[in-house]
Amino acid sequence: MTHAASGRGFACVGRGRELGLLLAALEIPPAVVLVEGEPGVGKSRLIQEATAALSDRRTRVVTGMCHPLREPLPFGPVLDALSGTGDWLPPPERLNPQAGALAPLLPALAHRLPPPPALPDDTRAGRFQLMGAVRSVLDAVSPLVLVVEDLHWADEATRELLLLLARDLPERLGVVLTYRREDLPADVPVLGVPYRRPPGTGGAEIHLGPLTEHDVHDLATAVLGPRASTTLSQTLFERSAGLPLIVEEDLLTLTTQPRPSRPKGVAPAAVDVSVLKEAEVPRGLREAVNERMATLSEPAVALVEAAAVLAVPADQSLLAEVAGLDPRRAGPPLTEALQAAVLREAAPGRYTFRHALARQTVHQDIPGPQRLDLHREAVRALMSRPSPPLVQIAHHTRALGDTAAWLRQAEAAADQAISLGDEGTASTLIHEILAQPRLEGDLRTRAALALSRIAVNGVDHTTSATALRRIVSAPRLPNAARGEIRLALGLLMVNQGGDAAVGERELERAIEELATRPDLAARAMVALAVNPNRTQQEAQAWMRRAQEAADDSPNRGARAAVHATRLTLMARANDPNVWDLVERLPRDDPDPEVLRQSARALFNVAYYGLAVGHDRRAEALLRESLDLARRLGTAALIESYSASQLLRLDWQAGRWDHLEADHTALLTQYPDTADIQMEAYLGRGYLAAVRGQWALALEQLRHAAHLGETALEPDCALRAAAGIAHVLLIRGEAQDAWAVIGSALDRRRREATWSRSALLLAVAVQAALASGRPQAAREIIAEAEQALEGEDAPAARSALAFAHGRLLQYDGDNAGAAAFFDRQRRIIADIGRPYYAARGLEETARTLTCADPHTAARHLTDAATTFAALGATADAARCQHTLRELGLDRPVPRGRRSYGDALSPRETQVAGLLATGATNKDIAQALSLSSRTVEHHVASVLKKLHTTRKDISDPRTAVANS
């Protein structure tokens, strides 16, 4: 669409590709679209164009706006958007009852919503209730596109809600988020944590860049018609650097110039470029805004300046009061400002600037004394409101330079935000308070305590930990306050900071300082009890102290923490009674801390259950933990850990198609969390090993082993050691494999936890036999057999059967070995781990090759089929090689398919191995081929891909990323 020279709008130019991307992404929900660009680049305009197109397609669109001075109302921008859904809501009785929680916040829709449920006593529970209500309404009015603009100004509650939605969208919902990257806090992603769309969710990431000179010419022509000369377009482009907002402001200025008269039939004269060139170059937005301001009357200028000082959308009454005008006579000057396109109506009856840059320009041009007077008027006017907006009042107080008054107002605003569950706003204010030099002691203590209470479950743990370290080292801090702050610091470092040893020392010091706060001391004690490197006696000692402390406190959250830790220790000790107890955990409680502890217990029991082979039970608990953490919205760590262990389950269950990508996505989302890194390295290492990518496998597994050692995670470290030894055995490096296994066995023996050591047990016996230590193999088996007596540990029992089979095979008792291998296969198949079941079937076949070659051939063929279906290239090739050696493989049909310039399946395997740095010997070993055959394949691959061995990339990855 085009617009005349009225200055009321402009053509949309240079955005065809971006608009097409946006509409295509929203065409097939669920979808998440991120639109990023600098101020004035046209994000809002792109949304307007998309909204018009979607409306033509009868697609519903609702929009919410974020503002820099938000008041503490969780999910405010989303609630603004939901206020426009009234006509689409089904009858109240067809809505989820929890949607009624929005009735008090959306009074205009109250009659369309279920009755409000009872308000929880705890503000966090209320926030959780609101999260569910928002999701219910969005689901009910879908198909829908939810747009949230200027997300860089969003509060943490809104970010968390949008993150939860984006990770698990209703099937018919599209979400579009616009933001400025430069206005985000340093190193903070737009949704608080890195986000990757989950499988089944579409979308796009759109970066809006400046317009080209050709685009600027099109825009000028759309406004000025034939009067837009090439010289004018060049000038507009030079002055704006392609930023649409500045081009538009210049065009608005030009359209106010009088048109010279011309005789009939004479072409219109080109616009006088000197009107722009006379200004200082580059003039930019400031001059364009001042041009528009110069056309306004004095009352209109006063209203615009009041809007600049207020900084958020305001109604006519507030604007007039700050400007010193009679509210009854403010209508005409406000209309004047709107018609001049200086202000716009952001929401019904609320007015602000067309863009933040325009507001900043006006604000900076107000003389200092006058600007201070306006801030004073803003404080007075806002304080007189029935519900004073404390965040805004604090802003204006600070602008006046009255630090003492600002500190009082900022503390009150932070307290209000915490009471409303808006911890993002509170955290921002508290960090600003604590950044003040020479802060009065009591205020510093109060602010630090407030930060410590919200930091443990926050997203930005690095910033909070830095602030808390500085505070606990300050003198004259009351002992109990120091202990509470140190507790938060210790928990941050143990759970998120990756420095568990230092974190534990902070926790031990906190216990001494919390002698008068048994509820908090109990939290420190349970954190110390669950350290996996502690002996059972040490853990139980800490638990006894924690239980005594919790019994002395009425705090339900503290008691829940002790109970959750008790279940964790029971699961770690493989106590079968834990399964009944975990089923009794509360999944619906008004206290969010109780629910968080339930999610924690569910995860921990699942983690140890998975380690001993109760995969199906563990998967159910992990999904419960993940769901509960997401519902809470304040348990990001538990959520991330649950997602990570579900990927571990995918490996064991043979669901490998997207495993690498899923690990990469999770690692991107939580780049600083050691547990996520370890599981990602382990998953990648195992996958590389079954594909024959030995170098890559060793690299990934060694990373995991190192992290396991530094993060005090013995189970991960030992799983990594077993994987490393397995790869070394395949490469024929038996002595190196035994060296790795020896140190791992020493550690496992100290912990006496053979029930969680299935992979280590199997590999240890193989390494002992391969390195010429049969007696060591017998001792390992005997030791494990004794330790597993009476233990409910199916994975370890499967591994023990495999170890027995290997030893009997070594001793020449193939019949006995076959029975044990078959037993191993049946146990592991019942657990649900197809790769290891196929390994058992392969070993059974090898013991039968002499006595029953046909059965052996059938078993090898079945194992090879399973390996191939899973993607275990190296294992499938090994089975096929054995079949060929025995003369039992199926004859190859005459004639061979020609692949021309394309890679054959075998060449694709070779190329993938070459890309990992594999040598010809490695490839021959992995694919069970002769050296000459490998040489032929390598030459063919390099020729077809027109590359060298040094520069080759994995063709499977290239296809996947294209």
PDB file of all heavy atoms in Angstrom, residues 128 131 160-161 163-165 167-168 198 599 623-636 638-640 643 646 666 669-670:
ATOM      1  N   PHE A 128       2.193 -19.338  39.778  1.00  0.00           N
ATOM      2  CA  PHE A 128       2.022 -20.620  39.104  1.00  0.00           C
ATOM      3  C   PHE A 128       0.585 -20.771  38.602  1.00  0.00           C
ATOM      4  O   PHE A 128       0.319 -21.244  37.498  1.00  0.00           O
ATOM      5  CB  PHE A 128       2.390 -21.722  40.093  1.00  0.00           C
ATOM      6  CG  PHE A 128       2.002 -23.114  39.679  1.00  0.00           C
ATOM      7  CD1 PHE A 128       2.259 -23.592  38.413  1.00  0.00           C
ATOM      8  CD2 PHE A 128       1.378 -23.938  40.582  1.00  0.00           C
ATOM      9  CE1 PHE A 128       1.896 -24.874  38.038  1.00  0.00           C
ATOM     10  CE2 PHE A 128       1.013 -25.224  40.211  1.00  0.00           C
ATOM     11  CZ  PHE A 128       1.259 -25.682  38.946  1.00  0.00           C
ATOM     12  N   MET A 131       0.139 -18.711  35.505  1.00  0.00           N
ATOM     13  CA  MET A 131       0.750 -19.322  34.328  1.00  0.00           C
ATOM     14  C   MET A 131      -0.209 -20.316  33.669  1.00  0.00           C
ATOM     15  O   MET A 131      -0.388 -20.322  32.446  1.00  0.00           O
ATOM     16  CB  MET A 131       2.039 -20.036  34.722  1.00  0.00           C
ATOM     17  CG  MET A 131       3.249 -19.133  34.828  1.00  0.00           C
ATOM     18  SD  MET A 131       4.759 -20.124  35.058  1.00  0.00           S
ATOM     19  CE  MET A 131       6.001 -18.847  34.925  1.00  0.00           C
ATOM     20  N   GLU A 160       9.764 -15.927  31.306  1.00  0.00           N
ATOM     21  CA  GLU A 160       9.622 -17.343  31.683  1.00  0.00           C
ATOM     22  C   GLU A 160       8.343 -17.933  31.081  1.00  0.00           C
ATOM     23  O   GLU A 160       8.333 -19.065  30.607  1.00  0.00           O
ATOM     24  CB  GLU A 160       9.623 -17.476  33.197  1.00  0.00           C
ATOM     25  CG  GLU A 160      10.987 -17.223  33.824  1.00  0.00           C
ATOM     26  CD  GLU A 160      10.969 -17.349  35.328  1.00  0.00           C
ATOM     27  OE1 GLU A 160       9.873 -17.496  35.897  1.00  0.00           O
ATOM     28  OE2 GLU A 160      12.053 -17.301  35.932  1.00  0.00           O
ATOM     29  N   LEU A 161       7.252 -17.165  31.125  1.00  0.00           N
ATOM     30  CA  LEU A 161       6.006 -17.651  30.546  1.00  0.00           C
ATOM     31  C   LEU A 161       6.181 -17.908  29.056  1.00  0.00           C
ATOM     32  O   LEU A 161       5.778 -18.958  28.533  1.00  0.00           O
ATOM     33  CB  LEU A 161       4.888 -16.641  30.787  1.00  0.00           C
ATOM     34  CG  LEU A 161       3.568 -16.943  30.054  1.00  0.00           C
ATOM     35  CD1 LEU A 161       2.968 -18.244  30.559  1.00  0.00           C
ATOM     36  CD2 LEU A 161       2.586 -15.803  30.205  1.00  0.00           C
ATOM     37  N   LEU A 163       8.926 -18.441  27.468  1.00  0.00           N
ATOM     38  CA  LEU A 163       9.836 -19.570  27.272  1.00  0.00           C
ATOM     39  C   LEU A 163       9.099 -20.897  27.419  1.00  0.00           C
ATOM     40  O   LEU A 163       9.276 -21.824  26.628  1.00  0.00           O
ATOM     41  CB  LEU A 163      10.988 -19.484  28.263  1.00  0.00           C
ATOM     42  CG  LEU A 163      12.041 -20.602  28.184  1.00  0.00           C
ATOM     43  CD1 LEU A 163      12.748 -20.574  26.837  1.00  0.00           C
ATOM     44  CD2 LEU A 163      13.059 -20.454  29.308  1.00  0.00           C
ATOM     45  N   LEU A 164       8.238 -20.990  28.452  1.00  0.00           N
ATOM     46  CA  LEU A 164       7.456 -22.212  28.643  1.00  0.00           C
ATOM     47  C   LEU A 164       6.546 -22.459  27.449  1.00  0.00           C
ATOM     48  O   LEU A 164       6.422 -23.582  26.949  1.00  0.00           O
ATOM     49  CB  LEU A 164       6.625 -22.103  29.921  1.00  0.00           C
ATOM     50  CG  LEU A 164       7.398 -22.143  31.246  1.00  0.00           C
ATOM     51  CD1 LEU A 164       6.451 -21.906  32.410  1.00  0.00           C
ATOM     52  CD2 LEU A 164       8.103 -23.462  31.414  1.00  0.00           C
ATOM     53  N   LEU A 165       5.884 -21.411  26.968  1.00  0.00           N
ATOM     54  CA  LEU A 165       5.012 -21.554  25.807  1.00  0.00           C
ATOM     55  C   LEU A 165       5.813 -21.997  24.592  1.00  0.00           C
ATOM     56  O   LEU A 165       5.409 -22.897  23.853  1.00  0.00           O
ATOM     57  CB  LEU A 165       4.308 -20.227  25.507  1.00  0.00           C
ATOM     58  CG  LEU A 165       3.148 -19.821  26.409  1.00  0.00           C
ATOM     59  CD1 LEU A 165       2.693 -18.417  26.065  1.00  0.00           C
ATOM     60  CD2 LEU A 165       1.986 -20.801  26.277  1.00  0.00           C
ATOM     61  N   ARG A 167       8.530 -23.614  24.397  1.00  0.00           N
ATOM     62  CA  ARG A 167       9.022 -24.988  24.473  1.00  0.00           C
ATOM     63  C   ARG A 167       7.916 -26.013  24.300  1.00  0.00           C
ATOM     64  O   ARG A 167       8.188 -27.165  23.946  1.00  0.00           O
ATOM     65  CB  ARG A 167       9.692 -25.213  25.835  1.00  0.00           C
ATOM     66  CG  ARG A 167      11.039 -24.522  25.982  1.00  0.00           C
ATOM     67  CD  ARG A 167      11.565 -24.707  27.385  1.00  0.00           C
ATOM     68  NE  ARG A 167      12.912 -24.175  27.547  1.00  0.00           N
ATOM     69  CZ  ARG A 167      13.539 -24.084  28.696  1.00  0.00           C
ATOM     70  NH1 ARG A 167      12.952 -24.501  29.811  1.00  0.00           N
ATOM     71  NH2 ARG A 167      14.750 -23.576  28.767  1.00  0.00           N
ATOM     72  N   ASP A 168       6.691 -25.628  24.549  1.00  0.00           N
ATOM     73  CA  ASP A 168       5.585 -26.590  24.492  1.00  0.00           C
ATOM     74  C   ASP A 168       4.322 -25.846  24.077  1.00  0.00           C
ATOM     75  O   ASP A 168       3.407 -25.641  24.865  1.00  0.00           O
ATOM     76  CB  ASP A 168       5.400 -27.265  25.855  1.00  0.00           C
ATOM     77  CG  ASP A 168       4.392 -28.405  25.797  1.00  0.00           C
ATOM     78  OD1 ASP A 168       4.111 -28.902  24.691  1.00  0.00           O
ATOM     79  OD2 ASP A 168       3.858 -28.770  26.849  1.00  0.00           O
ATOM     80  N   PRO A 198      11.587 -26.875  19.756  1.00  0.00           N
ATOM     81  CA  PRO A 198      11.538 -28.333  19.914  1.00  0.00           C
ATOM     82  C   PRO A 198      11.019 -29.003  18.652  1.00  0.00           C
ATOM     83  O   PRO A 198      10.413 -28.351  17.794  1.00  0.00           O
ATOM     84  CB  PRO A 198      10.555 -28.520  21.091  1.00  0.00           C
ATOM     85  CG  PRO A 198       9.701 -27.305  21.066  1.00  0.00           C
ATOM     86  CD  PRO A 198      10.573 -26.190  20.573  1.00  0.00           C
ATOM     87  N   ALA A 599       9.551 -32.129  42.622  1.00  0.00           N
ATOM     88  CA  ALA A 599      10.191 -32.268  41.309  1.00  0.00           C
ATOM     89  C   ALA A 599      11.633 -32.731  41.459  1.00  0.00           C
ATOM     90  O   ALA A 599      12.126 -33.571  40.691  1.00  0.00           O
ATOM     91  CB  ALA A 599      10.132 -30.931  40.558  1.00  0.00           C
ATOM     92  N   ARG A 623       9.505 -37.627  33.197  1.00  0.00           N
ATOM     93  CA  ARG A 623       8.495 -36.819  32.506  1.00  0.00           C
ATOM     94  C   ARG A 623       7.631 -36.067  33.528  1.00  0.00           C
ATOM     95  O   ARG A 623       7.239 -34.918  33.295  1.00  0.00           O
ATOM     96  CB  ARG A 623       7.641 -37.686  31.591  1.00  0.00           C
ATOM     97  CG  ARG A 623       8.445 -38.298  30.458  1.00  0.00           C
ATOM     98  CD  ARG A 623       7.600 -38.787  29.295  1.00  0.00           C
ATOM     99  NE  ARG A 623       8.437 -39.421  28.296  1.00  0.00           N
ATOM    100  CZ  ARG A 623       9.164 -38.753  27.394  1.00  0.00           C
ATOM    101  NH1 ARG A 623       9.143 -37.440  27.384  1.00  0.00           N
ATOM    102  NH2 ARG A 623       9.899 -39.401  26.502  1.00  0.00           N
ATOM    103  N   GLU A 624       7.365 -36.690  34.657  1.00  0.00           N
ATOM    104  CA  GLU A 624       6.647 -35.986  35.720  1.00  0.00           C
ATOM    105  C   GLU A 624       7.470 -34.820  36.253  1.00  0.00           C
ATOM    106  O   GLU A 624       6.952 -33.714  36.481  1.00  0.00           O
ATOM    107  CB  GLU A 624       6.323 -36.951  36.865  1.00  0.00           C
ATOM    108  CG  GLU A 624       5.045 -37.726  36.716  1.00  0.00           C
ATOM    109  CD  GLU A 624       4.586 -38.289  38.043  1.00  0.00           C
ATOM    110  OE1 GLU A 624       5.118 -39.338  38.448  1.00  0.00           O
ATOM    111  OE2 GLU A 624       3.718 -37.661  38.675  1.00  0.00           O
ATOM    112  N   SER A 625       8.742 -35.062  36.481  1.00  0.00           N
ATOM    113  CA  SER A 625       9.621 -34.018  36.992  1.00  0.00           C
ATOM    114  C   SER A 625       9.706 -32.862  36.017  1.00  0.00           C
ATOM    115  O   SER A 625       9.621 -31.685  36.406  1.00  0.00           O
ATOM    116  CB  SER A 625      11.018 -34.601  37.242  1.00  0.00           C
ATOM    117  OG  SER A 625      11.921 -33.603  37.619  1.00  0.00           O
ATOM    118  N   LEU A 626       9.861 -33.179  34.742  1.00  0.00           N
ATOM    119  CA  LEU A 626       9.943 -32.144  33.713  1.00  0.00           C
ATOM    120  C   LEU A 626       8.656 -31.334  33.655  1.00  0.00           C
ATOM    121  O   LEU A 626       8.680 -30.093  33.612  1.00  0.00           O
ATOM    122  CB  LEU A 626      10.226 -32.797  32.358  1.00  0.00           C
ATOM    123  CG  LEU A 626      10.379 -31.860  31.159  1.00  0.00           C
ATOM    124  CD1 LEU A 626      11.598 -30.978  31.322  1.00  0.00           C
ATOM    125  CD2 LEU A 626      10.484 -32.670  29.869  1.00  0.00           C
ATOM    126  N   ASP A 627       7.530 -32.015  33.688  1.00  0.00           N
ATOM    127  CA  ASP A 627       6.244 -31.323  33.630  1.00  0.00           C
ATOM    128  C   ASP A 627       6.036 -30.429  34.849  1.00  0.00           C
ATOM    129  O   ASP A 627       5.601 -29.278  34.732  1.00  0.00           O
ATOM    130  CB  ASP A 627       5.118 -32.356  33.532  1.00  0.00           C
ATOM    131  CG  ASP A 627       3.742 -31.694  33.503  1.00  0.00           C
ATOM    132  OD1 ASP A 627       3.458 -30.973  32.533  1.00  0.00           O
ATOM    133  OD2 ASP A 627       2.961 -31.899  34.452  1.00  0.00           O
ATOM    134  N   LEU A 628       6.370 -30.946  36.025  1.00  0.00           N
ATOM    135  CA  LEU A 628       6.179 -30.170  37.244  1.00  0.00           C
ATOM    136  C   LEU A 628       7.104 -28.956  37.259  1.00  0.00           C
ATOM    137  O   LEU A 628       6.702 -27.850  37.643  1.00  0.00           O
ATOM    138  CB  LEU A 628       6.441 -31.056  38.457  1.00  0.00           C
ATOM    139  CG  LEU A 628       6.124 -30.473  39.843  1.00  0.00           C
ATOM    140  CD1 LEU A 628       4.717 -29.904  39.889  1.00  0.00           C
ATOM    141  CD2 LEU A 628       6.291 -31.554  40.904  1.00  0.00           C
ATOM    142  N   ALA A 629       8.346 -29.130  36.814  1.00  0.00           N
ATOM    143  CA  ALA A 629       9.279 -28.004  36.767  1.00  0.00           C
ATOM    144  C   ALA A 629       8.790 -26.936  35.802  1.00  0.00           C
ATOM    145  O   ALA A 629       8.891 -25.735  36.072  1.00  0.00           O
ATOM    146  CB  ALA A 629      10.669 -28.496  36.360  1.00  0.00           C
ATOM    147  N   ARG A 630       8.261 -27.359  34.671  1.00  0.00           N
ATOM    148  CA  ARG A 630       7.741 -26.381  33.714  1.00  0.00           C
ATOM    149  C   ARG A 630       6.514 -25.664  34.256  1.00  0.00           C
ATOM    150  O   ARG A 630       6.343 -24.467  34.050  1.00  0.00           O
ATOM    151  CB  ARG A 630       7.399 -27.074  32.390  1.00  0.00           C
ATOM    152  CG  ARG A 630       8.635 -27.432  31.566  1.00  0.00           C
ATOM    153  CD  ARG A 630       8.269 -28.180  30.300  1.00  0.00           C
ATOM    154  NE  ARG A 630       9.446 -28.379  29.450  1.00  0.00           N
ATOM    155  CZ  ARG A 630       9.459 -29.138  28.366  1.00  0.00           C
ATOM    156  NH1 ARG A 630       8.361 -29.792  27.992  1.00  0.00           N
ATOM    157  NH2 ARG A 630      10.555 -29.253  27.635  1.00  0.00           N
ATOM    158  N   ARG A 631       5.665 -26.394  34.939  1.00  0.00           N
ATOM    159  CA  ARG A 631       4.484 -25.762  35.527  1.00  0.00           C
ATOM    160  C   ARG A 631       4.881 -24.737  36.576  1.00  0.00           C
ATOM    161  O   ARG A 631       4.276 -23.670  36.663  1.00  0.00           O
ATOM    162  CB  ARG A 631       3.575 -26.829  36.141  1.00  0.00           C
ATOM    163  CG  ARG A 631       2.745 -27.599  35.117  1.00  0.00           C
ATOM    164  CD  ARG A 631       2.174 -28.869  35.732  1.00  0.00           C
ATOM    165  NE  ARG A 631       1.540 -28.627  37.017  1.00  0.00           N
ATOM    166  CZ  ARG A 631       1.345 -29.567  37.934  1.00  0.00           C
ATOM    167  NH1 ARG A 631       1.766 -30.801  37.694  1.00  0.00           N
ATOM    168  NH2 ARG A 631       0.763 -29.282  39.065  1.00  0.00           N
ATOM    169  N   LEU A 632       5.890 -25.056  37.348  1.00  0.00           N
ATOM    170  CA  LEU A 632       6.340 -24.120  38.373  1.00  0.00           C
ATOM    171  C   LEU A 632       6.933 -22.867  37.743  1.00  0.00           C
ATOM    172  O   LEU A 632       6.717 -21.757  38.221  1.00  0.00           O
ATOM    173  CB  LEU A 632       7.391 -24.772  39.269  1.00  0.00           C
ATOM    174  CG  LEU A 632       6.866 -25.715  40.347  1.00  0.00           C
ATOM    175  CD1 LEU A 632       8.015 -26.499  40.949  1.00  0.00           C
ATOM    176  CD2 LEU A 632       6.147 -24.929  41.435  1.00  0.00           C
ATOM    177  N   GLY A 633       7.683 -23.046  36.680  1.00  0.00           N
ATOM    178  CA  GLY A 633       8.311 -21.915  36.027  1.00  0.00           C
ATOM    179  C   GLY A 633       9.491 -21.352  36.780  1.00  0.00           C
ATOM    180  O   GLY A 633      10.115 -20.394  36.327  1.00  0.00           O
ATOM    181  N   THR A 634       9.822 -21.904  37.939  1.00  0.00           N
ATOM    182  CA  THR A 634      10.932 -21.386  38.751  1.00  0.00           C
ATOM    183  C   THR A 634      11.915 -22.502  39.087  1.00  0.00           C
ATOM    184  O   THR A 634      12.639 -22.398  40.071  1.00  0.00           O
ATOM    185  CB  THR A 634      10.399 -20.761  40.049  1.00  0.00           C
ATOM    186  OG1 THR A 634       9.621 -21.735  40.756  1.00  0.00           O
ATOM    187  CG2 THR A 634       9.540 -19.547  39.761  1.00  0.00           C
ATOM    188  N   ALA A 635      11.927 -23.563  38.299  1.00  0.00           N
ATOM    189  CA  ALA A 635      12.809 -24.696  38.572  1.00  0.00           C
ATOM    190  C   ALA A 635      13.560 -25.068  37.294  1.00  0.00           C
ATOM    191  O   ALA A 635      13.515 -26.192  36.815  1.00  0.00           O
ATOM    192  CB  ALA A 635      12.002 -25.882  39.097  1.00  0.00           C
ATOM    193  N   ALA A 636      14.275 -24.070  36.739  1.00  0.00           N
ATOM    194  CA  ALA A 636      14.938 -24.270  35.463  1.00  0.00           C
ATOM    195  C   ALA A 636      15.987 -25.370  35.527  1.00  0.00           C
ATOM    196  O   ALA A 636      16.173 -26.127  34.572  1.00  0.00           O
ATOM    197  CB  ALA A 636      15.575 -22.964  34.995  1.00  0.00           C
ATOM    198  N   ILE A 638      16.052 -28.131  37.468  1.00  0.00           N
ATOM    199  CA  ILE A 638      15.412 -29.447  37.459  1.00  0.00           C
ATOM    200  C   ILE A 638      14.874 -29.741  36.068  1.00  0.00           C
ATOM    201  O   ILE A 638      14.964 -30.874  35.570  1.00  0.00           O
ATOM    202  CB  ILE A 638      14.294 -29.496  38.513  1.00  0.00           C
ATOM    203  CG1 ILE A 638      14.894 -29.287  39.914  1.00  0.00           C
ATOM    204  CG2 ILE A 638      13.547 -30.824  38.446  1.00  0.00           C
ATOM    205  CD1 ILE A 638      13.866 -29.134  41.012  1.00  0.00           C
ATOM    206  N   GLU A 639      14.324 -28.727  35.440  1.00  0.00           N
ATOM    207  CA  GLU A 639      13.817 -28.909  34.077  1.00  0.00           C
ATOM    208  C   GLU A 639      14.936 -29.334  33.131  1.00  0.00           C
ATOM    209  O   GLU A 639      14.775 -30.269  32.334  1.00  0.00           O
ATOM    210  CB  GLU A 639      13.181 -27.604  33.602  1.00  0.00           C
ATOM    211  CG  GLU A 639      12.606 -27.676  32.193  1.00  0.00           C
ATOM    212  CD  GLU A 639      12.015 -26.352  31.757  1.00  0.00           C
ATOM    213  OE1 GLU A 639      11.767 -25.494  32.627  1.00  0.00           O
ATOM    214  OE2 GLU A 639      11.803 -26.178  30.544  1.00  0.00           O
ATOM    215  N   SER A 640      16.071 -28.663  33.206  1.00  0.00           N
ATOM    216  CA  SER A 640      17.176 -28.981  32.302  1.00  0.00           C
ATOM    217  C   SER A 640      17.748 -30.367  32.586  1.00  0.00           C
ATOM    218  O   SER A 640      18.055 -31.124  31.661  1.00  0.00           O
ATOM    219  CB  SER A 640      18.272 -27.924  32.424  1.00  0.00           C
ATOM    220  OG  SER A 640      18.898 -27.979  33.699  1.00  0.00           O
ATOM    221  N   ALA A 643      15.364 -33.035  31.233  1.00  0.00           N
ATOM    222  CA  ALA A 643      15.462 -33.134  29.772  1.00  0.00           C
ATOM    223  C   ALA A 643      16.736 -33.868  29.368  1.00  0.00           C
ATOM    224  O   ALA A 643      16.731 -34.682  28.425  1.00  0.00           O
ATOM    225  CB  ALA A 643      15.430 -31.739  29.155  1.00  0.00           C
ATOM    226  N   LEU A 646      16.350 -37.606  29.939  1.00  0.00           N
ATOM    227  CA  LEU A 646      15.464 -38.185  28.931  1.00  0.00           C
ATOM    228  C   LEU A 646      16.225 -38.443  27.638  1.00  0.00           C
ATOM    229  O   LEU A 646      15.934 -39.413  26.925  1.00  0.00           O
ATOM    230  CB  LEU A 646      14.267 -37.263  28.681  1.00  0.00           C
ATOM    231  CG  LEU A 646      13.184 -37.300  29.760  1.00  0.00           C
ATOM    232  CD1 LEU A 646      12.181 -36.170  29.577  1.00  0.00           C
ATOM    233  CD2 LEU A 646      12.456 -38.651  29.750  1.00  0.00           C
ATOM    234  N   LEU A 666      20.227 -28.684  23.725  1.00  0.00           N
ATOM    235  CA  LEU A 666      20.180 -28.552  25.186  1.00  0.00           C
ATOM    236  C   LEU A 666      21.463 -27.904  25.702  1.00  0.00           C
ATOM    237  O   LEU A 666      21.434 -27.077  26.619  1.00  0.00           O
ATOM    238  CB  LEU A 666      19.983 -29.931  25.823  1.00  0.00           C
ATOM    239  CG  LEU A 666      19.518 -29.943  27.287  1.00  0.00           C
ATOM    240  CD1 LEU A 666      18.159 -29.283  27.428  1.00  0.00           C
ATOM    241  CD2 LEU A 666      19.450 -31.373  27.807  1.00  0.00           C
ATOM    242  N   GLN A 669      21.254 -24.304  25.117  1.00  0.00           N
ATOM    243  CA  GLN A 669      20.314 -23.670  26.037  1.00  0.00           C
ATOM    244  C   GLN A 669      20.906 -23.491  27.429  1.00  0.00           C
ATOM    245  O   GLN A 669      20.612 -22.506  28.116  1.00  0.00           O
ATOM    246  CB  GLN A 669      19.048 -24.532  26.109  1.00  0.00           C
ATOM    247  CG  GLN A 669      17.868 -23.842  26.751  1.00  0.00           C
ATOM    248  CD  GLN A 669      16.593 -24.632  26.527  1.00  0.00           C
ATOM    249  OE1 GLN A 669      16.530 -25.513  25.680  1.00  0.00           O
ATOM    250  NE2 GLN A 669      15.574 -24.309  27.281  1.00  0.00           N
ATOM    251  N   TYR A 670      21.748 -24.433  27.843  1.00  0.00           N
ATOM    252  CA  TYR A 670      22.353 -24.372  29.180  1.00  0.00           C
ATOM    253  C   TYR A 670      23.871 -24.549  29.053  1.00  0.00           C
ATOM    254  O   TYR A 670      24.429 -25.552  29.484  1.00  0.00           O
ATOM    255  CB  TYR A 670      21.765 -25.458  30.081  1.00  0.00           C
ATOM    256  CG  TYR A 670      20.273 -25.378  30.232  1.00  0.00           C
ATOM    257  CD1 TYR A 670      19.424 -26.162  29.457  1.00  0.00           C
ATOM    258  CD2 TYR A 670      19.695 -24.503  31.146  1.00  0.00           C
ATOM    259  CE1 TYR A 670      18.051 -26.086  29.595  1.00  0.00           C
ATOM    260  CE2 TYR A 670      18.316 -24.411  31.284  1.00  0.00           C
ATOM    261  CZ  TYR A 670      17.508 -25.207  30.506  1.00  0.00           C
ATOM    262  OH  TYR A 670      16.146 -25.121  30.646  1.00  0.00           O
TER     263      TYR A 670
END
